[in-house]
Amino acid sequence: MRIGLAYGDVRGQRDPGVIAEQLQATSGTAWISQGPNLDALTTLAVAGEGPAEVGTAVVPFPQRHPLVLASQALTVQAATGNRLTLGIGVGISRMVDGMYGLPTDRPARRLREYLEVLRPLLRGESVDHHGDTLTAVGSVAVEGAKAPPVLVAALGPAMLRVAGELADGTITWMTGPRTLADHVVPSITKAADTPPRIVAGFAVCVTSDEDAVRARFATDFALAGQVPEYRAMLDREGVDGPADVLLAGDEDTISKRLEQLRDTGITDLMLAPVGTAAEQARTTEFLAMRPGGGRRGDPVGAT
């Protein structure tokens, strides 16, 4: 199981210079979340050398036509020496509708059609698509860029089926171990022709004051617990809110939680250190010492 670190809006980071410095100190996998502030793909393109792999987790695609996203992704590939894993998703429906005024009905159908156009474009092929939810005509070519792997943020059965059939795997966020083991892993694996990559995202804090950290997290992420997409996974897990799936505790506690998650069948962890500056530093140092945690000299596929 590989362990990567998450940066960007999920950690409240808005300074691309600071993120670039952190990325350059990372050797494993560095994931950038796409929020309403920094653009994830641009941040990766200008970050320079560092991680063996960089990934987006995730870029909502409704507001980016596949011709546009293919151009952006292939530009990042050229800029990073083909180290990108492209994570995409349909986006949180309240944001897609409320902020952009875009339709959110039939998300699985929209995802399927988008992938049917995006994957050929990433391979440099021409498309002439006139579908139910999307029209795309053209091609994209960026010198030196290879088609990146594509992962999809998928939680429900229909979305996991599409991800298994048309993508290289899935990325989850705040989805607990029981739901991963009993729902996500078997659902996407059944739909896929080859073993999919399954990246499970969590906030994490190595701390001596677990109760205080959970209380702060419950406040800071209260709205996330009301988002229908996340709420469904929290209910499936049988927990009250985001703080209940936060990885928090001392080094021994976090070690046990990581072993529990490894046993769910996931291939990767995407961990976002949270807490005070001192707690985040303690967390990052602890994770760097874990097998697959991205120490300098470790291959990206270390287990």
Side-chain angles (χ1 to χ4, degrees), residues 134-154:
L134 179 66
T135 295
V137 180
S139 63
V140 177
V142 177
E143 191 70 27
K146 299 178 181 177
V150 177
L151 306 180
V152 172

Side-chain angles (χ1 to χ4, degrees), residues 47-168:
E49 295 298 323
E53 177 187 34
V54 294
T56 56
V58 293
V59 174
F61 65 74
Q63 56 268 41
R64 303 197 195 203
H65 191 277
L67 281 161
V68 174
L69 184 55
S71 173
Q72 292 174 318
L74 291 175
T75 300
V76 174
Q77 280 288 67
T80 62
N82 293 303
R83 289 182 286 134
L84 174 67
T85 292
L86 179 62
I88 67 171
V90 298
I92 296 172
S93 59
R94 288 179 182 174
M95 294 180 66
V96 173
D97 180 14
M99 293 179 67
Y100 299 101
L102 296 171
T104 58
D105 63 313
R106 299 181 293 166
R109 175 58 190 165
R110 293 182 184 278
L111 173 62
R112 180 177 293 278
E113 198 165 341
Y114 196 94
L115 288 170
E116 289 172 345
V117 172
L118 179 66
R119 298 306 298 267
L121 288 172
L122 292 173
R123 296 192 295 265
E125 301 170 11
S126 296
V127 299
D128 187 354
H129 181 90
H130 303 267
D132 294 338
T133 68
L134 179 66
T135 295
V137 180
S139 63
V140 177
V142 177
E143 191 70 27
K146 299 178 181 177
V150 177
L151 306 180
V152 172
L155 297 173
M159 299 290 281
L160 286 166
R161 183 165 56 253
V162 176
E165 293 174 358
L166 298 178
D168 298 297

Side-chain angles (χ1 to χ4, degrees), residues 3-291:
I3 298 176
L5 293 180
Y7 304 92
D9 270 1
V10 72
R11 291 170 60 177
Q13 296 176 317
R14 299 181 182 179
D15 187 331
V18 171
I19 295 175
E21 290 179 3
Q22 293 174 330
L23 292 180
Q24 290 161 13
T26 303
S27 64
T29 303
W31 300 96
I32 296 285
S33 59
Q34 176 67 54
N37 300 299
L38 289 180
D39 181 72
L41 285 164
T42 305
T43 303
L44 292 177
V46 302
E49 295 298 323
E53 177 187 34
V54 294
T56 56
V58 293
V59 174
F61 65 74
Q63 56 268 41
R64 303 197 195 203
H65 191 277
L67 281 161
V68 174
L69 184 55
S71 173
Q72 292 174 318
L74 291 175
T75 300
V76 174
Q77 280 288 67
T80 62
N82 293 303
R83 289 182 286 134
L84 174 67
T85 292
L86 179 62
I88 67 171
V90 298
I92 296 172
S93 59
R94 288 179 182 174
M95 294 180 66
V96 173
D97 180 14
M99 293 179 67
Y100 299 101
L102 296 171
T104 58
D105 63 313
R106 299 181 293 166
R109 175 58 190 165
R110 293 182 184 278
L111 173 62
R112 180 177 293 278
E113 198 165 341
Y114 196 94
L115 288 170
E116 289 172 345
V117 172
L118 179 66
R119 298 306 298 267
L121 288 172
L122 292 173
R123 296 192 295 265
E125 301 170 11
S126 296
V127 299
D128 187 354
H129 181 90
H130 303 267
D132 294 338
T133 68
L134 179 66
T135 295
V137 180
S139 63
V140 177
V142 177
E143 191 70 27
K146 299 178 181 177
V150 177
L151 306 180
V152 172
L155 297 173
M159 299 290 281
L160 286 166
R161 183 165 56 253
V162 176
E165 293 174 358
L166 298 178
D168 298 297
T170 188
I171 302 176
T172 68
W173 177 244
M174 294 194 307
T175 300
R178 181 185 310 151
T179 304
L180 289 169
D182 297 342
H183 170 58
V184 174
V185 173
S187 296
I188 191 170
T189 301
K190 181 180 179 181
D193 291 333
T194 58
R197 187 173 182 183
I198 303 171
V199 182
F202 291 91
V204 59
C205 183
V206 178
T207 179
S208 300
D209 193 350
E210 179 180 345
D211 291 341
V213 170
R214 289 194 185 278
R216 289 199 305 270
F217 193 81
T219 299
D220 293 343
F221 284 81
L223 288 178
Q226 300 173 27
V227 172
E229 293 88 343
Y230 297 145
R231 185 69 256 169
M233 293 301 103
L234 294 170
D235 290 343
R236 185 184 283 268
E237 188 71 12
V239 298
D240 292 332
D244 296 311
V245 292
L246 167 69
L247 307 181
D250 61 17
E251 285 80 358
D252 287 342
T253 298
I254 299 300
S255 292
K256 292 175 182 177
R257 294 295 304 275
L258 296 184
E259 293 304 312
Q260 179 189 23
L261 288 165
R262 183 193 64 182
D263 292 342
T264 64
I266 63 174
T267 62
D268 297 70
L269 276 173
M270 176 185 67
L271 299 178
V274 297
T276 65
E279 287 170 331
Q280 290 193 37
R282 179 179 173 184
T283 301
T284 301
E285 181 179 0
F286 166 75
L287 293 174
M289 300 304 295
R290 299 286 304 180

